[in-house]
Amino acid sequence: MSLTVQIQSAVQAGQLLPAAAANLSTWLGAGLPAWANESVNELVAQGAWNELNDRFYRYLEFGTGGMRGRTIGALVTRAESGPPAPQGALDGFGVITAGAPVHAAAGCNVLNDFTLLRAVIGLCQYTRQYLTANGRSVVPRLVIAHDVRYFSRHFCELAASAWTRLGGVAFIFDGPRSTPQLSYSVRWLKAHCGIVITASHNPPHDNGFKAYFDDGAQVVPPHDAGIVNAVNAVPLNGLAPFLVKDLAAVVTLGRPADDAYLAAASAAVLAPAVLREARLNVAFTSIHGTGCVASLPLLLHAGCVLHEVREQIAFDGRFPTVKSPNPENAEALAMAVALAEKEGCEVVLATDPDADRMGAAVRNRSGKMELLTGNQTGALLIDYRLGQLKQLGLIPAAGSDRVAVIKTFVTTPLQDAIAQAHGVKVINTLTGFKWIAAKIRGYEGQLRAAVGAGLDYDATPPAERAALLQRHSTFFAFGCEESYGYLPNDAVRDKDANAACLMFAELCAAVKSRGLTVPEYLDELYVRHGYFLEGVINLYYEGATGAAKIKRILDTYRSTPPQAFGGVKVEKFEDFGRQTIRDADGEVIPKQDFYVVTLANGWSFAARGSGTEPKMKFYVFANAPVPEASALPAVKTQVKAELARIKSLIENDAKARAEG
């Protein structure tokens, strides 16, 4: 039976989705390398229809974090695997390569040479069109960074090679670098766009492609849709000339680029003397990722006494010491916490593989290490940093509506309460740090329009820039999101774990100088503003069938919104995909399948499909007043119990909707 007949028979039998069959047909007729078609033949011969559906039911899409998905199939074919790399084998950049297949998985819904090249070619074509439309006849300049994952260096070099073949200038680093360094470097090199090859904290079998534009931020409308359209127009059968790498014209960045970024990141510290005098005892882990490249020297230079988790310092895309390289998970920090106990450290700091997320644990009054959530860390940083900015005279003592804290709708309302108590504006955005960066770009644009073409924004000293922004626009004071992402200033336009390590170390030092512990400082905030507690529900649905379940949840929330949960009525239902909703600046929030549900007791929750992982997410927000400090323990107990009950009801309702 021929391959075509087998595919048609599988469709008729309901084993293969029609969309997957159509994409397979295009794939097989595209003149791709022999191994790519051999891989498909193997899967068809095995009757691995679920694997083929997952690999071919769609083209890998740009989501909130760009393009992210499997680069190694659930089933690895002989054509993909090749001879295994020896245990402990390293590539030329210090990255362990053991267990890596020779080729990324064949398919159009995975990240491989073909989907990557389509993205690079589309990005280049869109960038040229954009520059031309704006009267800029210049050669498009691209900066690429990569993390430690399987194929990350290969994808980086392949992208750079393709860009130069297309007539552009491409810059790459001499090894793995963090996402925030890429963001900074786009601006520093005055490039027109950037790429990071990373899947952040996803499982080892994943990789990703994050696209950045000339402001150093991830792409947002209209650029994201324009790039997607350009990518979709790139035919598979046009990729052959780009499949062999040629790095002769690619520029490799070295120490000057690192020094420039480190100088910018170090500016996150507002009270350097406090940090130096504290000699803070820190346990640090990069969880096998890029954090060791910048976070370590930044902390050492600031005066911290550093203890590294040696077992996790090596670049290793297998992430062999953790279930997931995600500092949001307690398990990922377990080795660092154990080291902190052994060495008597005051704080644990951890970064994820591309060093844009930072997790922390602190020692409490009883001497035990206590993990903090991203919501708690962000709340602490907002209160401390706004106070410091006032002491330094960078913002008015009474606050100002020309000073903004920017956060996401799915981040705790405690941060809104703290910022508002400081008298500053709070901007809530959709999920994804790109929306925070988009607001910063808007503030920069307003200043440029007011001051004129003579302004060199990045070269203007921070204090002078802060004053100018407050006079003519809005000064960005801090940005954060609940998923452990923080940004101290606008020199970088994405969340920055390297700078966050410094910021949090400074906060710990300042709290130490007061004779307090960090949990006691957090309790002060609860007594002042009320007790806030958050819960997250993650419902994972893999592959093509999983995507349909996520869509059912989103669709039924819109068509039949929930009315009550366990006797607590729904008071308000906001549909961000249909309603016109504005932020505190009066700007319209972009349309998205995102819902905020407010309950009659003042609690709320948000629902959205993840743009970077195959899951449905619910963010639940609880709060209660604290009449006096002595009442706080009882309030905490009561709120925790009720939150667990409400979460269970929301989750059960969502699971029922998923099944139809």
Side-chain angles (χ1 to χ4, degrees):
M1 187 184 299
S2 71
L3 186 65
T4 302
V5 171
Q6 287 178 282
I7 290 171
Q8 290 174 346
S9 298
V11 172
Q12 292 169 358
Q15 297 167 312
L16 188 65
L17 294 171
N23 290 333
L24 266 168
S25 177
T26 301
W27 177 276
L28 294 169
L32 300 178
W35 73 264
N37 289 341
E38 288 170 11
S39 183
V40 170
N41 289 337
E42 283 186 49
L43 293 172
V44 171
Q46 294 173 31
W49 304 117
N50 286 338
E51 178 74 3
L52 285 163
N53 278 330
D54 290 346
R55 291 190 185 202
F56 284 96
Y57 81 96
R58 64 172 186 176
Y59 280 84
L60 198 59
E61 295 178 344
F62 278 85
T64 59
M67 185 170 66
R68 190 183 301 187
R70 275 188 173 269
T71 198
I72 297 175
L75 296 176
V76 179
T77 67
R78 290 189 303 275
E80 293 162 358
S81 61
Q87 188 70 23
L90 300 175
D91 66 9
F93 307 94
V95 180
I96 293 174
T97 58
V102 171
H103 300 291
C108 58
N109 187 41
V110 295
L111 191 70
N112 52 31
D113 291 12
F114 317 108
T115 51
L116 177 105
L117 284 172
R118 292 181 78 236
V120 172
I121 294 168
L123 177 61
C124 188
Q125 292 175 343
Y126 177 83
T127 304
R128 282 188 186 280
Q129 293 166 4
Y130 171 79
L131 292 171
T132 301
N134 285 273
R136 298 164 66 186
S137 300
V138 295
V139 175
R141 295 159 62 89
L142 170 73
V143 190
I144 311 173
H146 67 87
D147 68 4
V148 304
R149 289 176 174 273
Y150 293 137
F151 302 106
S152 282
R153 183 67 188 187
H154 167 67
F155 289 153
C156 169
E157 293 179 344
L158 189 66
S161 171
W163 193 271
T164 57
R165 277 198 167 102
L166 291 164
V169 175
F171 300 86
I172 64 175
F173 295 91
D174 58 9
R177 293 295 190 279
S178 65
T179 286
Q181 182 163 351
L182 179 281
S183 173
Y184 174 82
S185 297
V186 168
R187 297 181 68 88
W188 180 66
L189 290 165
K190 300 191 185 315
H192 304 110
C193 46
I195 295 169
V196 183
I197 306 298
T198 181
S200 189
H201 57 277
N202 279 35
H205 54 63
D206 285 0
N207 213 327
F209 174 108
K210 292 200 286 192
Y212 291 72
F213 223 58
D214 56 2
D215 62 338
Q218 291 185 53
V219 293
V220 294
H223 302 310
D224 55 355
I227 293 168
V228 169
N229 291 335
V231 170
N232 289 340
V234 178
L236 277 173
N237 60 12
L239 302 180
F242 302 97
L243 289 170
V244 177
K245 290 186 286 190
D246 179 0
L247 303 180
V250 174
V251 181
T252 299
L253 300 168
R255 183 63 182 268
D258 290 340
D259 289 346
Y261 168 67
L262 289 171
S266 66
V269 176
L270 296 175
V274 171
L275 189 49
R276 280 196 305 271
E277 291 165 8
R279 297 290 292 163
L280 199 69
N281 208 355
V282 178
F284 173 79
T285 177
S286 59
I287 318 180
H288 304 289
T290 61
C292 58
V293 178
S295 289
L296 282 177
L298 286 168
L299 290 166
L300 285 168
H301 183 73
C304 295
V305 179
L306 219 54
H307 302 271
E308 305 165 39
V309 180
R310 293 290 176 182
E311 301 89 339
Q312 296 180 324
I313 211 70
F315 294 147
D316 192 341
R318 300 171 300 172
F319 312 113
T321 62
V322 293
K323 292 179 182 176
S324 168
N326 186 353
E328 298 180 59
N329 300 334
E331 180 269 337
L333 274 66
M335 296 182 77
V337 169
L339 179 63
E341 297 289 9
K342 176 184 175 183
E343 301 292 344
C345 298
E346 299 155 277
V347 59
V348 166
L349 298 172
T351 56
D352 70 341
D354 66 322
D356 62 353
R357 301 181 189 221
M358 185 274 292
V362 291
R363 198 170 293 282
N364 60 25
R365 181 59 66 185
S366 65
K368 298 295 183 183
M369 297 304 297
E370 186 173 317
L371 293 169
L372 297 175
T373 68
N375 282 311
Q376 292 170 330
T377 299
L380 289 162
L381 287 169
I382 286 172
D383 186 69
Y384 171 75
R385 291 183 67 81
L386 288 176
Q388 284 296 309
L389 289 170
K390 289 179 177 181
Q391 284 189 30
L392 293 169
L394 293 174
I395 65 175
S400 167
D401 62 1
R402 294 292 186 95
V403 176
V405 166
I406 311 179
K407 56 182 281 291
T408 62
F409 284 105
V410 300
T411 301
T412 177
L414 172 59
Q415 295 177 9
D416 299 67
I418 292 169
Q420 288 162 2
H422 274 282
V424 307
K425 178 169 57 180
V426 181
I427 302 292
N428 280 285
T429 72
L430 294 173
T431 307
F433 225 87
K434 66 181 184 180
W435 301 112
I436 295 175
K439 291 297 299 185
I440 298 172
R441 180 173 189 152
Y443 296 149
E444 177 184 348
Q446 289 172 14
L447 177 58
R448 289 182 183 277
V451 175
L455 175 70
D456 188 334
Y457 189 88
D458 291 332
T460 303
E464 182 181 341
R465 196 159 75 210
L468 286 170
L469 284 163
Q470 288 175 78
R471 191 175 307 133
H472 300 288
S473 178
T474 294
F475 168 60
F476 167 72
F478 189 72
C480 64
E481 60 183 2
E482 52 77 37
S483 54
Y484 294 59
Y486 319 99
L487 183 64
N489 54 54
D490 63 2
V492 170
R493 301 298 172 91
D494 206 342
K495 52 188 179 284
D496 188 344
N498 302 309
C501 284
L502 269 185
M503 285 192 288
F504 195 72
E506 179 191 347
L507 181 147
C508 291
V511 170
K512 180 181 178 180
S513 71
R514 292 179 56 201
L516 293 178
T517 66
V518 173
E520 287 170 341
Y521 179 24
L522 184 61
D523 282 348
E524 285 185 347
L525 297 181
Y526 289 146
V527 172
R528 200 180 308 156
H529 304 288
Y531 179 62
F532 289 75
L533 185 65
E534 301 76 39
V536 178
I537 302 165
N538 291 311
L539 300 180
Y540 287 87
Y541 295 112
E542 296 273 358
T545 56
K549 291 182 178 182
I550 292 171
K551 186 176 185 301
R552 271 199 295 274
I553 296 173
L554 292 168
D555 288 349
T556 58
Y557 254 72
R558 174 166 287 146
S559 61
T560 54
Q563 299 299 307
F565 292 95
V568 182
K569 291 184 178 180
V570 171
E571 191 170 82
K572 185 179 182 182
F573 180 82
E574 293 175 282
D575 182 344
F576 282 65
R578 298 289 173 86
Q579 295 173 241
T580 298
I581 299 172
R582 298 178 183 272
D583 67 18
D585 286 329
E587 295 183 353
V588 175
I589 303 294
K591 295 289 191 289
Q592 190 177 97
D593 287 337
F594 171 70
Y595 312 104
V596 174
V597 181
T598 304
L599 305 178
N601 62 357
W603 295 15
S604 63
F605 71 90
R608 61 179 283 268
S610 173
T612 57
E613 296 178 84
K615 66 182 178 183
M616 185 74 202
K617 293 194 73 169
F618 296 85
Y619 308 79
V620 190
F621 305 105
N623 66 84
V626 181
E628 57 186 7
S630 62
L632 182 57
V635 172
K636 287 182 177 181
T637 299
Q638 179 184 357
V639 170
K640 286 176 183 176
E642 179 63 5
L643 177 61
R645 185 181 78 89
I646 294 293
K647 273 182 61 182
S648 178
L649 294 169
I650 295 170
E651 181 173 351
N652 290 338
D653 174 72
K655 287 179 177 178
R657 290 171 183 267
E659 299 304 325

